[in-house]
């Protein structure tokens, strides 16, 4: 029997891989820079030396920038891990009431489902956990985040379509008649009538358990 997956396990591993890759890029950037300086000291008077030195500087800068990008992605993964752990703590009372909770279920195309729940009444739910700030709104058939008077799209694309895809795949894997999809944000607020965005329930972490219990009536 496979060991039970822990909250945030998948994204935690992903963050560690990104961090290690970033450190490797930084080390390579330093190595290329040192090699470029040594090469320039030897071939500085030749056009070949200048050309190779410029190439080395460009390569070193590229590696450094790539390392920065990976380190930022590692930070994103760390925040995602924290968010999933917070949600897991909120769901423990449901587990004590007989709900079955599964974390980081691997599915086709959509990577993994953060949380899959099966209630004692036989209902299935999938929860995609996010840590974005701002106030979430549903405008022009699209979930967006609002800061003051400005509204922005999510860089990850259409979050509603993503969690719907997860629900369909969980339905297939579990042989369920229906899987209700929820988006749970650990930061910011939600300003959506009925918290319903085209059939997907968008909630804050504080409202997750009460929403699940209400849907399960």
């Amino acid at each position: 029997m496979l060991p039970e997956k822990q909250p945030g396990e998948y994204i935690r591993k992903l963050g560690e891989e990104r961090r290690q890759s970033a450190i490797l890029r930084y080390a390579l950037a330093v190595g290329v820079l040192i090699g470029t300086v040594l090469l320039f000291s030897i071939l500085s008077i030749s056009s070949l030396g200048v050309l190779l030195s410029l190439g080395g500087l460009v390569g070193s800068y590229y590696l450094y920038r790539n390392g920065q990008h990976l380190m930022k992605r590692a930070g994103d993964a760390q925040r995602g891990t924290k968010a999933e752990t917070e949600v897991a703590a909120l769901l423990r009372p449901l587990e004590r009431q007989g709900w079955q909770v599964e974390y980081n279920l691997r599915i086709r195309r959509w990577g993994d489902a953060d949380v899959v729940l099966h209630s004692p009444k036989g209902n299935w739910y999938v929860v995609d956990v996010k840590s974005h700030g701002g106030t979430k709104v549903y405008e022009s058939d699209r979930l967006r985040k609002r800061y003051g008077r400005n509204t922005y799209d999510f860089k990850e694309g259409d979050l509603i379509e993503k969690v719907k895809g997860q629900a369909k795949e969980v339905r297939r894997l579990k042989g369920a008649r229906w899987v209700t999809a929820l988006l749970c944000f650990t930061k910011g607020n939600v300003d959506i009538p009925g918290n319903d965005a085209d059939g997907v329930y968008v909630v804050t972490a504080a409202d997750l358990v009460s929403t699940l219990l209400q849907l399960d009536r």
Side-chain angles (χ1 to χ4, degrees):
M1 184 176 180
L2 293 175
E4 184 178 344
K5 292 183 179 179
Q6 298 301 310
E9 179 179 327
Y10 170 75
I11 197 169
R12 184 184 297 110
K13 291 180 179 178
L14 186 62
E16 291 173 356
E17 291 173 1
R18 288 172 177 172
R19 187 172 290 103
Q20 291 173 3
S21 295
I23 293 172
L24 177 60
R25 298 298 193 285
Y26 287 145
L28 288 173
V30 172
V32 170
L33 181 61
I34 293 174
T36 299
V37 171
L38 292 175
L39 184 64
F40 184 75
S41 66
I42 297 172
L43 303 173
S44 59
I45 58 175
S46 68
S47 58
L48 177 62
V50 173
L51 184 62
L52 291 175
S53 297
L54 287 175
L57 290 174
V58 170
S60 178
Y61 178 74
Y62 171 79
L63 288 167
Y64 172 74
R65 292 290 295 175
N66 190 240
Q68 280 190 316
H69 173 72
L70 287 169
M71 193 62 77
K72 180 181 180 301
R73 296 294 303 278
D76 292 340
Q78 184 178 15
R79 285 187 289 275
T81 299
K82 181 180 178 182
E84 291 185 27
T85 303
E86 290 176 5
V87 167
L90 294 172
L91 293 175
R92 288 195 186 106
L94 290 184
E95 293 186 78
R96 290 194 288 269
Q97 295 175 30
W99 288 60
Q100 297 176 5
V101 185
E102 186 175 355
Y103 297 99
N104 303 127
L105 175 65
R106 295 292 293 171
I107 54 179
R108 296 184 304 185
R109 182 181 176 185
W110 306 105
D112 75 316
D114 293 336
V115 189
V116 176
L117 302 102
H118 189 208
S119 78
K121 295 183 179 180
N123 298 316
W124 289 90
Y125 306 89
V126 61
V127 182
D128 194 13
V129 180
K130 300 294 181 184
S131 58
H132 301 276
T135 299
K136 288 72 188 181
V137 296
Y138 191 61
E139 299 178 345
S140 303
D141 298 325
R142 195 170 186 86
L143 185 68
R144 310 184 76 200
K145 52 186 176 180
R146 184 176 66 212
Y147 291 90
R149 296 182 178 180
N150 299 317
T151 308
Y152 306 91
D153 288 325
F154 288 92
K155 292 181 180 179
E156 296 95 324
D158 192 342
L159 299 184
I160 298 296
E161 185 65 24
K162 177 186 175 184
V163 74
K164 279 186 175 182
Q166 291 181 351
K168 289 179 181 179
E169 190 62 17
V170 171
R171 180 182 177 185
R172 183 189 67 83
L173 288 173
K174 301 298 184 180
R177 288 184 299 174
W178 183 256
V179 176
T180 302
L182 298 94
L183 270 169
C184 176
F185 290 89
T186 58
K187 294 181 180 179
N189 302 309
V190 174
D191 185 14
I192 299 174
N195 294 96
D196 187 341
D198 194 26
V200 173
Y201 291 91
V202 184
V203 299
T204 63
D207 293 330
L208 176 60
V209 171
S210 61
T211 300
L212 286 168
L213 290 172
Q214 185 176 10
L215 290 172
D216 203 54
R217 287 177 180 174

